[in-house]
Structures are given as structure tokens and as C-alpha cells.
């Protein structure tokens, strides 16, 4: 399915959703809006944290905050990112969160962007605001990239890998097959360091590949529990980085963000990421098993720290779970999805067991007149 948006500004209608649940269908709504105080959080895809070695690194720099961020800190974090991916330091741009990367890409003046959907809503928001024509390309479930009908005249293609919220991990070969003369491929790898294939870490990442037609955006906040700090980076050719940073403000990253990037991208940080990826794989398997016991299963084989479900009256179930102390993410504001779709973050087995018990409790209560149930 293809949908084109040619007007500046975003509305729920532009994302192919109705007006009946405006609060949940707002494209600018994110999972943190569902994770209220005191709730057990299955709505936000950030791992618990930050880990102690990150806390120690950040704490050690508090006394330095009277000074402006230093070139030495920027260079040290950049060098670690380059070494991690086998790239030249000129191929690395540090970011105040991966979302800043999408803002900078939107500056490049693309005329027609194809967004592989369902996916993170931020790229559409900034591209439309920049005056770029946006086409939403939605392959049928299970959302294989090889089934995507990308317009030939698209000079930018945006794809998440693994994709949020479907948890689909696209083969790198399918991403590279999107290449065309005059086209740039933007790959959002915010969750790539939480993917495994056996013992292979980040199996389908293209972050190590150089080229003027490839931009890879990465985040450290998901894996290291740093969403409140905003830290990320992108990998692209020096020419592309020069073009997107014209007029960027001085000191775009603070000292603590630079410190966090340096720690996350070093040896201890990558060992921690490997450990988290293994934990995610085990906890996700438990989640899928427990969901199957109550007649629910992911809509696509999950490879990220979240799974996507569909169930009748999902909004009613979401509200009922909130009343029982659990937050889950409505996917009503994702292109190609609707009010019957929910995303569950992967959590430890004991929390998953509590969520499943709550779902069963909701199902076992007496039905309201006219209420739809899924058993």
C-alpha cells in the first residue's frame, strides 16, 4: 500500500488514521505518554538503567560542567564510534539523540522520500516540515522489505532495522537492493545493538558500509537506559555530513552526552550491549511463549526488544491493564496499523508473568453489554 503526503504539517489524517481516538492517533505521540507513574512499563522500549559504569562515568564529570564541552571529548567519542564500525572518523557525526539525525537529514533537500511503514513517526514529521514530499510504503504483513513497492523517483528511502514497532529485522541485502543512482538510503538502527543471530551480534547492520548514498542513524539511549540524556550518532560520507551540518549550532552536545557516548561505545559498553542482547533474546522467547498460552502471537517474528500484537478491543484491554498497574503501547498512530494493535516491550520473565495474569484477569471479568472479547 502506498500513501503520499504533499502538504506541509502533519495531521492524524495524513497518517491514514481516523479522528475517533485523537489522543492515541496523534502521530507525535510516543510510548512514554502511555507509561504513567507507578505503572509497570511495557510501553517504552528502553532497557533498565543506566548501568553502574555509566553512572560512574557521568558522575565523574559533574565538576566539569562549568566549562564548555571540549573538542577532546568530541574527538574521543568520535574515535570510538569510528573504531566500533571500522569507519574513518570523518564518517561519524555525534548527535544529541538519534532524533536529531533525522532533523539534520531533512536539511539535505530531498524532493521525494519513501518511508517503509509501519515505522517510527519522527522521520515523517521532520521531512514533511522541511517541505519534502513523503510517500508511505506499507508492505503487507509480515512487512518484508522485499515486498515494498518503492517509487522509482524516490531520492530518499527511510527504513528501520529492526523496525519499530513491528520488530522485523530486514536482511542487509534487501536494504542494499534499494540503492539506485541519485537515491540515498537512511537506515534507523536505534535497536541494532540488541539483535542477535545465534552468536552473531548486530547480524544485519550496515553501519560498517561507506558510501555517499548511505546514512545510518544509531542510538545508545535504548540499550543503556539513557533516554533522558539524548545521545546518538550517525555514519555517512564526509560530504554528506558537511552538507547536513551547515549552520548547526556550536556545542551541539553537552559534556555529559559526550561522556556517555564514549563510555557506551568502548569495551565495557559493548560487552554490556552484548549481555543485554542475550537477555532480550531469552526474555522475548518467554514473552512469546506466555502470549501463545493465552492465544496471542506476534504479527511477525520478533527480533527487537518488543513485539507487535493485534487483538479486538485493544484499546479497552490497554485501559483495563492500566487499571491493573501495567502500561502497554497503543499502535493506533503508526501508518498501516490501527486501534487493534498493541506493542509490548520485552521485560524480565517475572514481570511478563504478571502481565499475562493481568490479561487473563481482564478476560475473566464479566463482559459489559456489547463488549468484544478475544479469547
Amino acid at each position: 500500500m502506498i500513501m503520499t503526503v504533499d502538504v506541509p504539517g502533519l495531521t492524524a489524517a495524513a497518517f491514514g488514521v481516523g479522528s475517533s481516538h485523537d489522543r492515541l492517533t496523534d502521530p507525535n505521540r510516543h510510548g512514554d505518554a502511555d507509561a504513567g507513574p507507578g505503572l509497570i512499563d511495557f510501553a517504552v522500549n528502553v532497557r533498565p538503567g543506566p548501568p553502574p559504569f555509566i553512572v560512574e562515568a557521568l558522575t565523574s564529570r559533574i565538576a566539569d560542567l562549568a566549562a564548555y564541552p571540549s573538542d577532546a571529548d568530541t574527538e574521543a567519542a568520535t574515535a570510538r564510534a569510528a573504531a566500533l564500525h571500522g569507519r574513518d572518523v570523518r564518517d561519524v557525526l555525534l548527535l544529541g539523540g538519534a532524533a536529531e539525525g533525522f532533523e539534520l537529514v531533512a536539511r539535505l533537500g530531498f524532493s521525494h522520500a519513501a518511508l517503509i511503514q509501519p515505522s517510527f513517526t519522527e522521520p515523517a514529521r521532520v521531512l514533511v516540515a522541511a517541505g519534502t514530499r513523503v510517500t508511505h510504503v506499507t508492505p503487507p504483513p509480515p512487512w518484508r522489505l522485499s515486498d515494498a513497492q518503492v517509487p522509482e523517483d524516490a531520492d530518499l528511502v527511510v527504513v528501520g532495522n529492526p523496525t519499530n514497532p513491528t520488530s522485523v529485522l530486514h536482511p542487509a541485502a534487501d536494504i542494499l537492493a534499494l540503492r539506485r543512482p541519485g537515491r540515498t538510503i537512511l537506515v534507523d538502527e536505534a535497536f541494532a545493538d540488541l539483535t542477535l543471530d545465534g552468536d552473531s551480534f548486530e547480524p544485519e547492520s550496515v553501519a560498517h558500509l561507506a558510501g555517499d548514498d548511505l546514512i545510518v542513524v544509531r542510538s545508545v539511549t535504548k540499550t543503556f537506559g539513557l533516554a533522558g540524556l539524548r545521545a546518538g550518532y550517525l555514519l555517512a560520507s564526509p560530504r554528506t555530513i558537511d552538507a547536513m551540518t551547515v549552520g548547526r549550532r556550536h556545542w551541539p552536545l553537552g559534556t555529559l552526552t559526550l561522556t556517555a557516548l564514549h563510555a557506551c561505545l568502548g569495551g565495557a559498553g559493548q560487552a554490556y550491549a552484548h549481555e543485554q542482547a542475550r537477555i532480550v533474546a531469552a526474555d522475548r522467547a518467554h514473552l512469546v511463549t506466555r502470549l501463545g498460552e493465552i492465544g496471542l502471537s506476534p504479527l511477525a517474528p520478533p527480533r527487537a526488544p518488543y513485539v507487535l500484537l493485534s487483538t479486538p478491543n485493544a484499546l479497552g484491554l490497554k485501559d483495563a491493564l492500566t487499571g491493573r498497574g501495567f502500561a502497554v503501547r497503543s499502535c493506533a498512530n503508526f501508518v498501516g496499523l490501527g486501534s487493534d494493535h498493541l506493542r509490548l516491550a520485552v521485560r524480565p520473565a517475572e514481570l511478563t508473568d504478571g502481565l499475562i495474569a493481568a490479561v487473563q484477569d481482564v478476560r475473566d471479568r464479566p463482559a459489559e453489554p456489547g463488549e468484544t472479547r478475544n479469547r
Side-chain angles (χ1 to χ4, degrees):
M1 176 179 8
I2 295 178
M3 177 170 65
T4 302
V5 177
D6 293 302
V7 294
L10 288 183
T11 64
F15 274 74
V17 296
S19 59
S20 60
H21 292 97
D22 289 341
R23 183 175 60 87
L24 292 175
T25 58
D26 179 359
N28 295 316
R29 180 181 173 85
H30 297 293
D32 60 310
D34 291 323
L39 297 178
I40 298 173
D41 183 10
F42 281 81
V44 180
N45 295 322
V46 176
R47 301 297 296 162
F53 73 95
I54 297 293
V55 173
E56 182 179 354
L58 294 174
T59 303
S60 72
R61 300 302 304 273
I62 297 297
D64 298 332
L65 294 183
Y68 287 96
S70 72
D71 290 343
D73 282 337
T74 299
E75 291 165 2
T78 299
R80 282 199 166 175
L84 181 62
H85 300 290
R87 302 286 293 264
D88 189 278
V89 292
R90 296 173 300 169
D91 296 344
V92 177
L93 178 66
L94 305 181
L95 302 170
E100 188 196 9
F102 303 127
E103 294 176 353
L104 295 176
V105 169
R107 292 183 174 190
L108 295 176
F110 294 103
S111 61
H112 184 189
L115 277 60
I116 307 301
Q117 301 287 4
S119 68
F120 184 42
T121 59
E122 192 68 12
R125 186 184 73 83
V126 296
L127 286 165
V128 171
T132 303
R133 180 162 62 104
V134 170
T135 295
H136 298 293
V137 179
T138 309
W143 301 289
R144 286 186 291 261
L145 193 55
S146 56
D147 294 330
Q149 300 178 26
V150 177
E152 284 299 319
D153 68 339
D155 57 353
L156 175 68
V157 178
V158 182
V159 58
N161 206 34
T163 301
N164 175 24
T166 63
S167 203
V168 170
L169 182 65
H170 301 292
D174 288 352
I175 292 175
L176 300 178
L178 296 170
R179 282 174 152 173
R180 301 286 189 278
R183 173 184 289 176
T184 297
I185 310 299
L186 171 60
V187 188
D188 175 7
E189 291 191 352
F191 297 97
D193 63 356
L194 289 172
T195 62
L196 290 174
D197 186 2
D199 292 329
S200 177
F201 183 58
E202 301 185 8
E204 302 296 343
S205 172
V206 295
H208 62 289
L209 298 177
D212 284 337
D213 65 341
L214 192 62
I215 303 171
V216 178
V217 176
R218 305 277 300 209
S219 172
V220 302
T221 61
K222 313 295 187 184
T223 300
F224 295 89
L226 291 168
L229 189 60
R230 315 308 304 135
Y233 59 101
L234 65 76
L235 301 144
S237 71
R239 183 169 69 175
T240 299
I241 289 175
D242 287 345
M244 70 173 62
T245 54
V246 172
R248 192 187 190 198
R249 69 183 186 275
H250 292 294
W251 308 291
L253 275 70
T255 297
L256 295 184
T257 298
L258 294 170
T259 300
L261 283 165
H262 187 260
C264 293
L265 300 174
Q270 289 309 290
Y272 178 82
H274 279 67
E275 177 189 18
Q276 288 298 304
R278 290 189 290 270
I279 291 171
V280 163
D283 287 342
R284 185 178 59 229
H286 181 77
L287 173 61
V288 170
T289 297
R290 292 304 318 274
L291 288 169
E293 292 171 0
I294 60 172
L296 295 173
S297 59
L299 297 178
R303 300 294 300 278
Y306 43 87
V307 302
L308 178 66
L309 304 173
S310 178
T311 183
N313 194 29
L315 297 183
L317 174 60
K318 169 182 159 53
D319 290 342
L321 289 173
T322 300
R324 286 159 175 78
F326 292 88
V328 299
R329 171 69 151 97
S330 168
C331 293
N333 67 334
F334 286 95
V335 174
L337 302 180
S339 60
D340 284 344
H341 293 93
L342 296 174
R343 188 192 68 197
L344 304 180
V346 171
R347 294 293 184 244
E350 61 273 15
L351 296 183
T352 292
D353 292 342
L355 176 68
I356 298 301
V359 173
Q360 291 173 313
D361 181 52
V362 171
R363 291 177 167 184
D364 289 341
R365 69 175 170 79
E368 300 293 333
E371 182 181 1
T372 301
R373 293 289 184 87
N374 178 37
R375 284 188 178 273

